[in-house]
Amino acid sequence: EISAPWTFHNLQELRHSASLANKVFLQRDYSDGTTCRFQTKFPSELESRIERPLFEDTVKRLNIYYAEAEKMGGQSYLEGCLACATAYLIFLCMETRYEKVLKKIGRYIQEQNEKIYAPRGLLITDPIERGMRVIEISIYEDRGSSGSCSGSSSTSGSSAR
Amino acid sequence: MYLGLDEPVRECQYNQICTRNSLPMETLGHKKKKIPRRKWQVFPGRNRFYCNGRVMMARQTGVFYLTLVLIMVTSGLFFAFDCPFLASNLTPAIPVIGGVLFFFVLGMLFRASFSDPGVLPRATPDEAADLERQIGAANGPSGPGYRPPPRTREVVINGQTVKLKYCFTCKIFRPPRASHCSLCDNCVERFDHHCPWVGNCVGKRNYRFFYLFILSLSFLTVFIFAFVITHVILRSNRTGFLSALKDSPASVLEVLVCFFSVWSIVGLSGFHTYLISSNQTTNEDIKGSWSNKRAKDNYNPYSYGNILTNCCAALCGPLPPSLIDRRGFIQSDTPQPVSHSNGSSMYASTQLHTHMAAATPLLHSNSVMIGGGGPPFPGKSSLVVPCASLAPSQPSLPSMPGLSCAGDMLTLRDPDTHCHHHHFASPEETPSPSGPMPLTLPCAAHMTHGGHIHPAQLYDPASQDSLHEDSVRGLVKLSSV
């Protein structure tokens, strides 16, 4: 149940009228080995901000995309063999499949931010910008309202306006 | 010894960089009037960058140049002195095949040496603080003099319990199979070993290039060896042995170089073929992580079960992009990882702590971040002491417990001495457990001035005082135990 006293219509508005209150980090889930997966546990700080199914949906989707990027099958073997045969020069003109999927992930996160997260005062950072270690979710407070969140220990520069 | 501060910003032609998320929040860099700096210029690890960030190597590159010289000189002599005779008397295919092999070897060598081995970027201050909080909550309140236990997390992978260790330098829990290279001061994914011959760490992203390099080099060495011998034999059939040697003196040198290389290179290729087929890293094999001797039901959870799949996975699997985005521009509002890392081991003595806090900036390349860090903390590198190296190279080596080396205990690293990783300096040397190898040079004290950054140009006092406070608070907490 969301009880936000503010609404942000887009990311621009979020940036201009909100201040960073807190950050939540979703860590990696290594139970499947070294493949890229993130924990889908719903963080308690987000309970009042977003519905659980929406959130879990986003994270599950991201996990699916990462699994697709790292999938080892006919296409990736073909790409690997072709690259080896050309002494890896082919990557000067071609993008690897992994990079293509990463771009897709970037677009997906942007779209999710615009449609779902920014209107609730949240922002997802693409994990590639954090070395694929975490999914960072920034929680914003409306500047006008008195901060109901716990004092922030994070003072990242992104709150600079 | 880096190029780049005064170079004009060039087009990126070599598209190896991962994608950037272009949220409007994060493209504020252009407001600044000064030239935007690239991330490699403030990289906290002990690496060298060339060609404006396109090339990334370890700090000590002397042995790499030796490798290059050996390969080029031997091959050059072969093409100049032996090939004309062989081409005319046997077949011109010989120089052609030799040429193809030679270029492939060089290509793989450069690819292995110059690319990012899979370095994990260090945690941003926010992440580090979050992890500290979680660990602190798990450990409970600590009184004075209480030493928190080593930070580990356990995870079950494929039925095996694997311990994830916390890296005090990078402030992250290392993914499985990752390890911290003390020579390069980076956590590297699927860390195999640090190879001075190649001048870089060998990890997830460049392992296949390394393997193809040693494999093709084996073929090249055997090829040259065989055909030089053929050449000398054919010549001595005509003119007698001694005058054959006099006619082509280069052949003697080539035979010598090839003879000694063949044993080590072919042996190394065989070893790595074994590792690939069982999906282990050199690191794991040396430590005997998955050997039966450690526990009855110990097995490698990462192996796919059959040799072919393991080989395909290692050599033809998808190549992940670099996580460090070294040629990206620094956005001043993006959090940069805290860089006082070298001094932040919780086992630092208080004297060392005050020394670090008080010292004027010794220029170490991992000292300062733009808009993201406090005053530079001098690195710990002045305390690294040469360690005896161990260079086993047989696959059947029993598990080696406690590869810690006394010298490294002086460093401020975390007590799980991961210094044994850099003893892999010379797996290709014939094993001789007696005493340090000449290749411990990479282990030697890194007292050289490393920084290619001048703090005066980078330190931005206006911005991150509270970040500094955070990091100092963290340091004080850690060193007060």
Side-chain angles (χ1 to χ4, degrees):
Chain A
E1 188 53 42
I2 302 174
S3 53
W6 59 84
T7 45
F8 299 106
H9 295 295
N10 53 30
L11 289 172
Q12 287 293 103
E13 217 181 280
L14 182 72
R15 186 158 57 97
H16 287 302
S17 55
S19 62
L20 183 65
N22 202 358
K23 284 187 184 184
V24 181
F25 297 99
L26 285 173
Q27 301 284 338
R28 282 272 291 268
D29 172 17
Y30 293 115
S31 56
D32 206 24
T34 50
T35 51
C36 185
R37 273 179 59 115
F38 289 94
Q39 291 177 358
T40 49
K41 187 169 84 80
F42 189 62
S44 50
E45 293 94 333
L46 296 181
E47 255 159 38
S48 58
R49 307 293 289 249
I50 188 167
E51 296 96 335
R52 187 188 282 248
L54 273 178
F55 172 80
E56 287 184 352
D57 211 42
T58 308
V59 181
K60 285 197 180 120
R61 191 111 266 260
L62 284 176
N63 282 341
I64 290 172
Y65 282 144
Y66 284 119
E68 183 194 324
E70 297 187 353
K71 188 168 75 101
M72 273 181 301
Q75 198 195 349
S76 73
Y77 289 153
L78 196 63
E79 192 184 51
C81 292
L82 180 69
C84 180
T86 62
Y88 295 93
L89 293 171
I90 197 162
F91 289 141
L92 290 174
C93 27
M94 195 180 91
E95 220 176 30
T96 69
R97 198 163 126 257
Y98 209 113
E99 284 166 352
K100 285 194 187 105
V101 177
L102 283 179
K103 284 205 172 126
K104 192 161 74 163
I105 291 174
R107 284 193 297 270
Y108 173 73
I109 290 182
Q110 170 120 14
E111 176 213 326
Q112 290 280 295
N113 273 335
E114 279 169 6
K115 290 200 190 132
I116 302 181
Y117 289 85
R120 292 166 172 77
L122 301 171
L123 200 66
I124 301 183
T125 308
D126 194 336
I128 196 78
E129 313 221 350
R130 296 292 177 263
M132 306 278 261
R133 295 181 301 264
V134 288
I135 300 180
E136 183 183 295
I137 303 176
S138 312
I139 305 177
Y140 287 88
E141 288 280 345
D142 187 22
R143 274 221 191 105
S145 69
S146 54
S148 54
C149 254
S150 56
S152 122
S153 62
S154 56
T155 47
S156 152
S158 50
S159 59
R161 299 283 179 266
Chain B
M1 196 178 148
Y2 80 111
L3 327 159
L5 239 189
D6 300 312
E7 264 184 282
V9 170
R10 289 206 297 263
E11 280 287 342
C12 173
Q13 292 151 332
Y14 187 43
N15 187 21
Q16 203 189 12
I17 306 301
C18 57
T19 56
R20 296 236 4 121
N21 193 355
S22 54
L23 289 177
M25 316 241 354
E26 296 185 83
T27 48
L28 299 175
H30 309 294
K31 278 198 215 151
K32 302 269 183 216
K33 294 196 181 61
K34 49 188 179 230
I35 304 169
R37 302 180 72 82
R38 293 193 189 252
K39 290 183 185 163
W40 66 266
Q41 292 171 304
V42 296
F43 186 70
R46 235 182 274 137
N47 289 90
R48 286 186 199 267
F49 295 90
Y50 303 108
C51 294
N52 203 5
R54 290 183 180 90
V55 166
M56 172 177 179
M57 296 178 77
R59 174 147 301 190
Q60 309 277 354
T61 51
V63 188
F64 165 72
Y65 292 120
L66 175 67
T67 309
L68 207 55
V69 160
L70 277 175
I71 294 176
M72 297 190 94
V73 166
T74 312
S75 306
L77 289 176
F78 177 71
F79 289 122
F81 292 101
D82 300 86
C83 277
F85 181 89
L86 290 164
S88 50
N89 289 36
L90 282 181
T91 159
I94 294 176
V96 170
I97 297 177
V100 166
L101 265 178
F102 172 69
F103 282 114
F104 191 75
V105 164
L106 279 189
M108 291 299 107
L109 173 63
F110 290 148
R111 203 60 211 237
S113 303
F114 297 160
S115 55
D116 170 13
V119 172
L120 287 168
R122 299 188 183 182
T124 55
D126 298 323
E127 281 175 64
D130 187 65
L131 271 182
E132 291 269 339
R133 248 197 321 263
Q134 283 180 32
I135 296 170
N139 282 345
S142 58
Y146 171 69
R147 219 191 207 193
R151 303 169 173 192
T152 54
R153 267 186 192 162
E154 294 213 338
V155 65
V156 177
I157 299 177
N158 237 349
Q160 279 277 350
T161 310
V162 174
K163 268 208 180 126
L164 303 183
K165 296 202 186 123
Y166 182 76
C167 180
F168 288 96
T169 312
C170 305
K171 307 221 164 221
I172 57 173
F173 275 96
R174 278 184 221 129
R177 313 192 94 177
S179 199
H180 191 97
C181 175
S182 33
L183 286 173
C184 303
D185 203 24
N186 293 316
C187 271
V188 177
E189 275 190 289
R190 202 189 182 279
F191 181 76
D192 196 82
H193 65 285
H194 181 102
C195 186
W197 297 94
V198 150
N200 205 354
C201 288
V202 176
K204 178 157 106 172
R205 296 188 73 246
N206 65 350
Y207 184 59
R208 69 190 69 184
F209 306 128
F210 174 75
Y211 178 72
L212 289 172
F213 165 62
I214 55 177
L215 194 65
S216 52
L217 187 61
S218 317
F219 285 130
L220 182 67
T221 318
V222 168
F223 183 86
I224 292 182
F225 188 67
F227 281 107
V228 167
I229 301 263
T230 310
H231 173 210
V232 171
I233 290 178
L234 287 178
R235 237 186 231 272
S236 31
N237 279 350
R238 296 182 194 179
T239 61
F241 185 63
L242 282 175
S243 58
L245 286 185
K246 252 189 292 185
D247 288 335
S248 71
S251 306
V252 180
L253 176 66
E254 291 166 53
V255 163
L256 274 175
V257 170
C258 288
F259 181 74
F260 289 112
S261 311
V262 155
W263 299 110
S264 38
I265 304 278
V266 171
L268 188 64
S269 306
F271 176 57
H272 278 279
T273 308
Y274 159 74
L275 287 182
I276 283 187
S277 60
S278 60
N279 201 336
Q280 288 186 82
T281 62
T282 306
N283 207 8
E284 286 164 356
D285 184 71
I286 287 304
K287 288 201 278 195
S289 307
W290 314 121
S291 95
N292 286 333
K293 300 186 177 82
R294 199 177 259 228
K296 255 307 164 66
D297 56 352
N298 215 11
Y299 60 91
N300 183 0
Y302 309 110
S303 170
Y304 293 94
N306 76 60
I307 292 180
L308 193 62
T309 319
N310 283 341
C311 291
C312 286
L315 301 177
C316 310
L319 188 65
S322 170
L323 295 175
I324 56 178
D325 188 26
R326 52 196 191 263
R327 281 181 46 88
F329 288 103
I330 298 168
Q331 316 281 347
S332 60
D333 61 342
T334 327
Q336 298 290 330
V338 185
S339 54
H340 61 271
S341 47
N342 280 338
S344 65
S345 162
M346 58 200 285
Y347 297 94
S349 69
T350 40
Q351 295 161 296
L352 284 158
H353 169 65
T354 47
H355 161 76
M356 283 182 305
T360 47
L362 299 175
L363 289 178
H364 291 272
S365 59
N366 52 356
S367 304
V368 179
M369 301 302 240
I370 249 198
F377 280 73
K380 62 126 209 111
S381 46
S382 51
L383 293 178
V384 174
V385 165
C387 328
S389 91
L390 305 140
S393 59
Q394 299 101 342
S396 56
L397 204 64
S399 58
M400 309 260 281
L403 283 185
S404 56
C405 80
D408 250 23
M409 295 303 266
L410 289 181
T411 69
L412 301 181
R413 295 249 158 260
D414 71 55
D416 321 313
T417 44
H418 44 241
C419 71
H420 40 251
H421 305 315
H422 71 253
H423 293 319
F424 271 85
S426 55
E428 59 269 33
E429 294 282 337
T430 47
S432 62
S434 61
M437 303 281 212
L439 288 170
T440 51
L441 283 181
C443 299
H446 300 295
M447 301 203 52
T448 53
H449 158 84
H452 43 254
I453 303 169
H454 296 283
Q457 288 172 303
L458 293 186
Y459 180 50
D460 186 3
S463 56
Q464 309 288 332
D465 273 345
S466 46
L467 257 178
H468 170 220
E469 218 179 78
D470 243 359
S471 47
V472 170
R473 215 183 316 131
L475 253 189
V476 170
K477 179 171 102 169
L478 290 175
S479 65
S480 67
V481 296

